[in-house]
Amino acid sequence: MKAYRAALLRFDPAGTATAPLPLYESDGLLVVDQGRVVAAGAFSALQHTYAHVPTEHCPQHLLAPGFIDLHIHYPQTDVIGSPADGLLPWLEHYTFPHESRFADPAYALAVADVFLDELQRHGVTTALTFATSHPASVDALLGQAEARGLRMIAGKVLQDRHSPDGVRDETEQSLRDTEALIQRWHSRGRLGYAITPRFVPTSSEAQLRGAGELAAKYPSVWIQSHVAENLDEVRWVQQLYPQARSYLSVYGQFGLLRERAIYAHCIHLDAEDRALMRDTGTAAAVSPTSNLFLGSGFFDYASANEAGFRYGLASDVGGGTSFSPFQTMLAAYHVGRASVTGGGTAKRGLSLKPSQLWWQHTAGAAQALGLGQVVGTLAPGSEADFLLLNPRATPLLARKTALAESLEELLFSLIVLGDDRVVERVMVAGGEPYAPAQHP
Ligand code: GUN
Ligand code: ZN
């Protein structure tokens, strides 16, 4: 057993997007044992019960749940910052050619290592990530995640049409490979598998049907894909499925909307789609830096809250521009401000509260994954993935956070001014602190 004394941020697992229920102690105690949280709360309330436990005192630091990235592509680590006139040219010119390199397992292994270093350096302790269409790319990532003790979910991309040589797979083989990977990796320690059709245009009907059948056969396996990100993409899906009510409904038709299904973007949805998200238990991975970079559009927070479907934050590297949850939360704030609610003179943007943004990247993302009782909150009994943050990591942050008079002000300063320098230590399952390997 070990205890940490510092300022402490937790979330009540009963929190929601509009009422995230942050719990904050300016002098807190977090007690961990065998990878789990034993107790968390005010130092004054817990100090006697845990007086015998070795305690590390970290004054002027903040303990907080590890961040959860709801949608990221590990093979796109080196695709960040590739400019294009929107999603489809970006895929064609940069992403597909780059992903074809992952046919080489040694290359995949090297990138997986760099990717996990980047996640951990930025305080991300769980991610739902795409691999490539090459099955060994999943083995490369999940093998390394296992060695690090990380809670990680990944899947082999399914893309058997409208895809170039080098990344295109073959329908029957792709489904056999997916099932073999489920059996190899799903629920092995902290690892999970996600059935991963890239998006509607790049999978045949047979492949989507097969994916849906696997999703029904393995209900605890996740599903991840993209939907309604870009208007050219939406039009393409309309041409491919002229009878479909909407792009989202195509996934529904193949049994791919359910609990533990996470769809990136969800920008160009209508009210009926949002109700379908809610009614099926499907969640959205909101990816603001990606949406701004590729000019895709803005996630509509007000309509999402009105409909009441689940969502959380994601980097979407390499369409996204940063591994940093601080950058992602700030971009989400900008997206909220830029969104327009109401009409006439009532038109105005939304101001997401810092605790709402933070929730979307921790407890809310965990709920979207169906892991709300497992990670993201630091509630007693949950897994002890946590961060030691230094609110004075830079001169400007030190000045700004010293002025904070409330939790919201403190969190906002970190969101606006913070980066990986704030993340002083990353503890995975209460274990040894993460020390990044040296890369030249
Ligand atoms: N839609 C299909 N593939 C991708 C991808 O790799 N990134 C993003 N942002 N959207 C996609
Ligand atoms: Zn993506």
Side-chain angles (χ1 to χ4, degrees), residues 218-255:
Y218 297 98
S220 69
V221 161
W222 284 271
I223 298 167
Q224 58 178 344
S225 191
H226 301 90
V227 74
E229 174 179 7
N230 165 286
L231 288 172
D232 292 328
E233 169 207 11
V234 173
R235 276 189 283 271
W236 194 7
V237 174
Q238 270 167 0
Q239 287 163 9
L240 293 169
Y241 290 87
Q243 316 290 344
R245 200 208 68 79
S246 69
Y247 182 171
L248 184 73
S249 77
V250 176
Y251 291 115
Q253 161 185 336
F254 292 107

Side-chain angles (χ1 to χ4, degrees), residues 3-67:
Y4 299 84
R5 180 182 175 186
L8 176 60
L9 172 68
R10 296 171 290 144
F11 286 93
D12 184 325
T16 63
T18 48
L21 305 182
L23 303 166
Y24 179 68
E25 309 292 345
S26 58
D27 184 12
L29 193 72
L30 181 71
V31 186
V32 302
D33 189 28
Q34 297 186 357
R36 289 188 184 271
V37 177
V38 173
F43 176 74
S44 59
L46 295 172
Q47 61 173 321
H48 299 299
T49 311
Y50 296 100
H52 63 288
V53 177
T55 301
E56 183 177 344
H57 192 195
C58 312
Q60 299 192 311
H61 283 68
L62 174 65
L63 294 165
F67 290 110

Side-chain angles (χ1 to χ4, degrees), residues 63-122:
L63 294 165
F67 290 110
I68 298 171
D69 193 327
L70 261 195
H71 177 91
I72 186 166
H73 300 251
Y74 100 78
Q76 296 176 13
T77 298
D78 298 309
V79 179
I80 294 180
S82 302
D85 288 338
L87 171 68
L88 301 178
W90 176 82
L91 285 172
E92 184 185 343
H93 294 131
Y94 295 104
T95 307
F96 289 157
H98 192 79
E99 289 193 10
S100 71
R101 299 180 66 175
F102 287 72
D104 173 4
Y107 184 74
L109 204 63
V111 176
D113 197 33
V114 173
F115 171 80
L116 293 174
D117 278 351
E118 282 301 305
L119 285 187
Q120 285 184 261
R121 219 160 53 71
H122 286 92

